[in-house]
Amino acid sequence: MSPSVRLQEMIRVIRGARTQGEERGVIQRECAAIRAQFRQADNGTRSHNLAKLLYVHMLGYPAHFGQMECVRLIASPRYNEKRVGYLGAMMLLDEKQDASLLITNSIKNDLSHNSQYVQSLALCTLACMGSAEMCRDLAPEIDRLLRASNSYIKKKAALCAVHIVRKVPDLGELFTPAARSLLCEKNHGVLHGAVVLITELCERNPDTLEQFRKVVPELVQIMKGLVMSGYSPEHNVAGISDPFLQVRILRLLRILGRNNDTASDAMNDLLAQVATNTDSSKTAGSAVLYETVLTVMDIKSESGLRVLAVNILGRFLLNNDRNIRYISMTSLQKIVQTDHNAVQRHRGTIVDCLKDQDASVKRRALELSLALVSAVNIRSLMKELLLFLSSCPPELRAHTTSGIFNAAERYAPSQRWHIDTILHVLTTAGGDVRDETVPNLIQLITTATELHCYTVHKLYRALITDISVQSLVQVACWCIGEYGDLLLRGECEETEPVQVTEDDVLDALETVLQSHMSSPATRGFALTATMKLSTRITHNVDRIRSIVSIYGSCIDVELQQRAVEYNALFKKYDHMRYRGSVCGAPSPSLEVCDLLDLLGGSGEPVPSSGLSHTVPGPATSTSGGDLLDLLGGLDAVERGSVKVYEKNGVTLKLQTDSQTDTGMTITLTATNSTDGDITSLTLQAAVPKSVQLQMKAPSGDVIPARGLGLVTQTVLLNNPNKVSLKMRVRVCYSSQGAVCQDTVQIDSFPSPAW
Amino acid sequence: MRFLLLFSRQGKLRLQKWFTPIPEREKKKIVRDMTTMVLARKPRSCNFLHWKDLKIVYKRYASLYFCCGLDAEENELIALEMLHRYVELLDKYFGNVCELDIIFNFEKAYFILDEFLLGGEIQETSKQVVSRAIEASDMLQEVRCCPVGTDLRSVFPSS
C-alpha cells in the first residue's frame, strides 16, 4: 500500500467516527503511532506521517511535537520530504517558536538550490513566517535573486522582499534599485510583484516615494498597454486584460499622485481613459473601475475627472449586483464630506437603497443618508428615514433613531415639525432610543410654548392608543400633568377638537399606573402627573386622592414614598394646594412646573411639624429629571427665610407668613448650634412711629443645644399709613453662664408665601 | 491579505492560511468568528462584511465557503476575483473539484495555493503558468530518489 493511501485511509477513519469521543480516540492512537515513527530512523514514510499530523492539526488537535520533524524534513535532500517539511513549517511554526530559527540555514541553502522548485519552497516559507532576524539574515540573498534569476524566481523573490520590508522597514533601501529595474520586465507575474514591492517601499519611506514619482510615465505606459491591448488568452478575465495587475498599478499611482500636482497631471489622461473604456458588466471590470475611482478621488485630479468618478459611483448604485452597490456606497461615504454636492446629486438612488433586502447595503445607505441631511432636504429626507425606521432591521434601530434625532436637532425647520418627528420616532421605535431622549423632549416641549395645547392633545391620543413604549408614555404623562388644563379645555387650533373629560384623563393615567408593562420610572411619572392634575381639575379631586392613597401601600418603595408625600399634601396643606389653582396659569417666563410654585420652591419638601410654613424661594429652572425628585428627601431646608442674626452659635431667622397692604405677620425663629443650652431668651422689637407692633407669646425661652430644638415667636405688624417697614430687634440670652445682648436692624422683609 | 479560510456549511475547517504571525488561540477565535458570521448570512446577501478593522470577503462554492480577511486599503472586488481564480485552479487540478477532493488531498490544495499567493499577495496572474508549475512540482515529487545537486531545470523546464 502506497504511503499516501495510508494518509487518506486515516482521514477516512477519522471522518467515519460517529462521535467526538470516538474521533478523539482515533486521533490519539494515530498521534501515538506518528510520534513513534518520528523517533525511528528514516524509513521513507516521514513525509506521510508529517502530512497526517498536519491533518490532525487542522482539526484543532495539538501537533507541536511535529515541529522538530519539520526541521528535519526541510533539511532532507528529497524534494517530496522538503515539500511537506516546508508546509509543516508554515503551519506549525511561527516566528515566535524557537524551532523556526533552526530552519534559517536550510532556507539559506535552498535559496541557492539548483532546482527552482526547491528555491520556490524556501522563498514561500520565508515570506510566510520569516522572523525579523531571519529576514535580516537572508535579505542579501533575496536581493541577489531579484536581479539574477528567471522570472519564476524573480516574482517570488519580489514578494519575499515585500515581507522582509514589512518586518524590517530599514531594509527597504536595499531593495529599491532592484525594484526599479524590475519594472522593465514583460512577465506579468514579475511586474505584479514589482508593483507590490514598490508600493510597499513608497508607503514606508517618503524619500523612496519621491524617487518613484519619476516612474509614473512608465506605469502609465504599462497600464495603457493593458487597457488597449487586444484579447490576451493568458491574462484575460471577462474581457479585461489582467485585472489583478491593473488594480495594483492603479493603487500605486494613487500613492504616487497623492498631494503632488505633477504626478497627478501625468496620470490624468490615463485615468480618464480607463474610466471610460473599461467594461463593467462583470466583477473584473468593476474592480478596475472601482480602483480607478478611488485613485481619482485621492489624487489632485481635474474637476471634470472627479465628476466622472462620482458619476461612475452613481452608476454603480443602480447596478444589479449587490456587491457593486455596497462598494459604491462605501466609496461615496468616504467622499461625502469633501464632494458633498456631487454626492447629493445621487441622493435619490441612495435613499432607494434603504429599501434593499441586504442588511449590509441598508446599513451603508443609512450612514450615507444621514451624512447627506441638510437644511434644504431635511423634510423630504426625514420622511424617507422615518419610513425606513418602521421596517429597519433591529440591529440598526438604535443607530437610526439617534441619527434622526441629531439631524432633527440640527436642521428642524420648525418646533412643531421637531416635536412631531420625535413623537413619530417614539411611536415607531421608542424602545431603541437613548435615555436622554425623555428629558430632551420635555425640555423641547417646554420651550415651545405656543404648541403646548397641540402637544398635549397629540400625546394624549398617543397614550390612549398604546402604553407599551416607556419613553413615549413618560413624556405623555408629564405633559398631561403639566398641561392637563389645556387638554380638558377641548379646543385647539392645530388639531381637531375632541372632548376629553377629567375622567378620561384619569382613566388613562390609572391604566398606566396599573399596567404590568409600565416600568417603575413610568409609574412615577404617572403618579406625579395624577397629583399635578389635582390642582387643575375641579370635579374629580376625590378620585385623585383615592388613587394616591392606594399607592401609599405600594410594594415599590419609590412609588410608595411619593404617594405618602402627596397624601400629606392633601391632608395638611389642602389650602395651599387650592390657592395655586386660584392663582391661575404661571407666567411663561418661568421654566418651571407650576406645581413647584404650588408647593413652594423647587426641591421643597413636605415640611415636618417642627417648622412653620415654608416660603417659596426665587423660581429656578430645572430639567425634567429634577421634577420627579420634587418631594424627595425630608431634610428640612428652609428656603425663603432670611437670617437676621448669627453669633456665638445662635441664629435668628425671619419669615413672612402673610402680607396685606396695611400689615404683615412675621415669625422669628431662633436656633442654637452650641454644645450647651441657651437659656433666658428674650426678643424685643421696635418699629417706626406710625406702625403698630404686637408680639405674640414665644414658644419658649430655652433653645436646646446642637440644633435639637428651636424657639419661635410670631409678630404682627400693622402699617395703616403704608410707610416703609423697618424693625429693630434686641436679642438677649444666657449662653454657658454668660449674658449676651445684641441688636439687629431689619430693613427689608422677604416676600410672603401667598 | 491577512488570512484565507475554507470551511464547510457545518463550520468544519478545510484549509487555513495565515499571512501574519498570530497566536494559536487567536487563530481559533478568528476561525470561530468567521464561521459564525459567514454561515449566518442570508443566501442573496452581498459578499462583504466588516469585522474589527478588517474587510471580510467570502464566497460560497457548492458546500465550501472561501473567506479572506483584507486590510482597509485593499480592493474587495478584486479579492472576489482572486477567490474565484483559486477555485478555478483547484478545479483544473482535480477536475470538477468538490469538497472531498480538498479534504483528502489537503496538502495539494496548499501547494496550489502557494503557487498562486505568496505572503498574502498574488504572485502569478496567469492561470496556465500556475498550473504548469504545479504539474512540474508534482512530477518532481514522483522522482523519489533525487540526488542532491541534480540540475532539475534540464529535466523540467521552468515556467
Side-chain angles (χ1 to χ4, degrees), chain A residues 116 242 248 291 322-323 358, chain B residues 44 46-47 75 121 158:
Chain A
Q116 66 180 12
D242 206 338
R248 282 321 296 240
E291 198 72 33
R322 197 161 272 132
N323 293 330
D358 185 281
Chain B
R44 274 188 301 276
C46 87
N47 297 92
N75 184 322
E121 306 282 350
S158 58

Side-chain angles (χ1 to χ4, degrees), chain B residues 7 33-43 45 49 58 65:
Chain B
F7 48 86
D33 286 351
M34 290 302 116
T35 46
T36 317
M37 266 191 348
V38 170
L39 291 174
R41 296 282 279 178
K42 288 200 274 273
S45 318
L49 288 167
Y58 75 93
Y65 284 92

Side-chain angles (χ1 to χ4, degrees), chain A residues 219-268:
Chain A
L219 290 167
V220 167
Q221 275 308 110
I222 298 172
M223 264 304 280
K224 268 208 174 90
L226 289 170
V227 172
M228 304 297 283
S229 72
Y231 179 77
S232 149
E234 206 177 343
H235 300 291
N236 181 70
V237 181
I240 312 288
S241 184
D242 206 338
F244 302 109
L245 181 57
Q246 288 197 29
V247 163
R248 282 321 296 240
I249 293 179
L250 286 165
R251 195 163 137 193
L252 177 56
L253 286 174
R254 178 153 82 244
I255 293 168
L256 296 175
R258 211 180 267 152
N259 294 327
N260 188 290
D261 288 315
T262 329
S264 301
D265 280 338
M267 55 181 85
N268 205 73

